């Protein structure tokens, strides 16, 4: 209960970008987003949660559990790293919002493999 209250866990149900900076480890990412061009068109959930209601809240619940676990136990890596599952969610968001550009330039380095957006745009949305 203490962790739920001190971490302002209920704020994660919203689209408030401040909720993502509740933990000190995310403050650099939030500050980077505030300096990026994405701040004018996207909040954290637009890039880091699926765009359907069920997928969004399943992802938020799953991430909320693991974030609170790692932050409470202090066992998170610094710098923080995106999980493979969350990287797929973010890649999907890039491709959804930038579909016209992606379709025009998408190449397949190997048969059946798409080029990943964050491979070239590593700091997109989080300028450092």
């Amino acid at each position: 209960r203490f962790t739920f209250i001190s971490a302002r866990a209920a704020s994660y149900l919203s689209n408030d970008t401040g909720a993502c900076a509740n933990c000190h480890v995310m403050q650099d990412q939030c500050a980077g987003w505030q300096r990026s061009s994405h701040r004018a068109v996207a909040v954290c959930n637009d890039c880091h949660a699926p765009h359907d209601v069920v997928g969004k809240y399943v992802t938020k619940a799953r991430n909320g559990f693991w974030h609170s676990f790692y932050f409470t136990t202090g066992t998170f890596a610094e710098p923080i790293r995106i999980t493979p599952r969350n990287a797929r969610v973010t890649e999907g968001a890039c491709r959804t919002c930038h579909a016209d550009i992606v379709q025009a330039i998408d190449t397949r380095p190997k048969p059946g493999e798409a080029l990943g957006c964050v491979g070239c745009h590593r700091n997109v949305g989080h300028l450092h």
Side-chain angles (χ1 to χ4, degrees):
R1 181 178 173 156
F2 173 76
T3 300
F4 186 86
I5 293 168
S6 68
R8 298 181 295 253
S11 66
Y12 291 99
L13 298 174
S14 73
N15 279 335
D16 178 11
T17 56
C20 295
N22 282 348
C23 299
H24 71 88
V25 74
M26 292 302 295
Q27 289 173 356
D28 286 346
Q29 282 71 23
C30 189
W33 168 80
Q34 289 172 334
R35 292 188 306 273
S36 78
S37 61
H38 278 88
R39 78 184 176 289
V41 294
V43 296
C44 305
N45 286 327
D46 292 325
C47 300
H48 296 287
H51 294 174
D52 64 287
V53 174
V54 173
K56 176 181 178 176
Y57 286 102
V58 165
T59 297
K60 287 172 81 67
R62 179 185 173 113
N63 287 346
F65 171 81
W66 287 110
H67 291 169
S68 61
F69 173 82
Y70 290 123
F71 296 143
T72 300
T73 61
T75 57
F76 57 91
E78 281 197 75
I80 61 168
R81 292 176 185 86
I82 194 167
T83 66
R85 180 184 183 279
N86 287 332
R88 288 190 301 274
V89 168
T90 300
E91 179 74 22
C94 295
R95 291 176 170 279
T96 296
C97 292
H98 299 286
D100 53 339
I101 296 168
V102 171
Q103 186 177 30
I105 64 170
D106 199 11
T107 60
R108 306 217 177 264
K110 295 179 187 174
E113 231 179 72
L115 186 63
C117 300
V118 295
C120 296
H121 303 279
R122 188 156 318 280
N123 291 326
V124 70
H126 300 288
L127 300 176
H128 298 301

